[in-house]
Amino acid sequence: MPKDMSYMYPLFPIICFITILLTFFPVPAHWKAGNIATVALAFWIIGGLIFCLVNTIVWHGNLRNPYPIWGDITCAYTVMVGPAIGSCILCVQFRLWSIARTKRIFITQKEKRRQKWVTYLLCLGFPILMIPIHYVVQGHRYNVYEDLGPLYTTHNVTLAYGIFWILEPIVCLIACVFAILTIRLFLRRRKELDVVLGSGSNVNKDSYIRLLALAATAIVVHFPLSVWLVIVNAVAY
């Protein structure tokens, strides 16, 4: 870690606050449309930004540890947020791919319920599962960094790569595959897709393209970052 990161203050907390507001702005529309994965993605990002905002203010210029429980909560959330964002993107891409390949205008209630449970499992269940997985390779409670606050620690051992570090890139890679398949289907079946999206679905053509662009952008940013983290730790190993 850099020895001095005071240059981030107060610009970084201000940017975090503005980004929280901008991220929350489209949430009501997606909630109304029933886009669970998109709403979950927004709230996971907002939560991460809130922790960054609070920690960069509380730990500005000091290494104190006044709130150990807050440190535990921060580290648990930090463990979850990366895989959570990846799994939410995967859900969005999977839904877009499902729409792109469908030949039916309506889906049954049973299929809707199944889609909801799969979404809840990936957007909530998988990130929560990361906490006990990380506990297996956790070095100690956490480290406190000046101007950043508490961050989780991981034993840099082979087991950590097999059960922890590799999971996030795998999820992002699967999302990349679905993104490519979705774009391919979208270009091949554009006329049929226009009929499906214009048939009273809660995702119209404009929303579909925006969601596709959002998920693709998130993959372009998130996948290289997750791979970079694995490479950095592997080099340190």
Side-chain angles (χ1 to χ4, degrees):
M1 300 292 293
K3 293 181 179 180
D4 184 13
M5 301 191 70
S6 59
Y7 66 88
M8 297 191 308
Y9 192 88
L11 182 60
F12 189 72
I14 293 172
I15 292 174
C16 285
F17 180 74
I18 295 172
T19 309
I20 288 169
L21 297 179
L22 293 176
T23 306
F24 185 77
F25 181 73
V27 168
H30 286 286
W31 179 273
K32 185 177 179 181
N35 299 328
I36 300 172
T38 312
V39 173
L41 175 63
F43 277 114
W44 278 112
I45 293 173
I46 289 170
L49 290 169
I50 290 173
F51 279 105
C52 289
L53 172 65
V54 173
N55 291 351
T56 51
I57 293 174
V58 173
W59 275 274
H60 172 59
N62 70 85
L63 287 167
R64 295 180 293 109
N65 187 26
Y67 314 112
I69 295 178
W70 176 260
D72 292 330
I73 295 172
T74 298
C75 292
Y77 195 90
T78 308
V79 166
M80 292 189 294
V81 69
I85 291 173
S87 57
C88 288
I89 295 169
L90 174 58
C91 283
V92 173
Q93 283 291 2
F94 181 78
R95 187 182 181 198
L96 296 177
W97 173 77
S98 299
I99 294 173
R101 68 189 289 267
T102 188
K103 295 181 179 180
R104 294 178 298 166
I105 295 178
F106 299 104
I107 61 174
T108 64
Q109 289 297 323
K110 183 179 179 180
E111 289 174 327
K112 286 184 179 180
R113 285 194 300 269
R114 185 175 61 197
Q115 288 178 2
K116 276 189 176 182
W117 282 111
V118 171
T119 302
Y120 289 138
L121 181 65
L122 286 174
C123 295
L124 296 176
F126 175 67
I128 293 173
L129 181 63
M130 295 301 295
I131 295 178
I133 289 176
H134 178 259
Y135 183 77
V136 177
V137 292
Q138 184 176 0
H140 49 272
R141 194 168 180 180
Y142 54 80
N143 291 331
V144 177
Y145 295 95
E146 185 178 356
D147 299 312
L148 288 178
L151 293 174
Y152 68 85
T153 63
T154 307
H155 272 307
N156 200 5
V157 294
T158 304
L159 181 63
Y161 294 91
I163 67 172
F164 181 69
W165 290 117
I166 198 64
L167 295 180
E168 189 176 341
I170 288 176
V171 171
C172 291
L173 181 61
I174 297 172
C176 285
V177 172
F178 277 111
I180 294 170
L181 293 175
T182 302
I183 293 172
R184 183 168 173 265
L185 284 170
F186 179 77
L187 295 175
R188 287 180 57 187
R189 303 181 64 238
R190 186 173 298 178
K191 291 183 179 180
E192 297 175 44
L193 195 57
D194 287 343
V195 175
V196 173
L197 295 175
S199 61
S201 171
N202 57 2
V203 179
N204 57 39
K205 185 178 180 180
D206 291 338
S207 298
Y208 185 92
I209 295 173
R210 285 197 298 268
L211 285 172
L212 185 59
L214 169 66
T217 303
I219 289 171
V220 169
V221 175
H222 194 193
F223 180 59
L225 180 60
S226 63
V227 173
W228 176 78
L229 287 173
V230 174
I231 294 173
V232 167
N233 283 280
V235 171
Y237 182 72

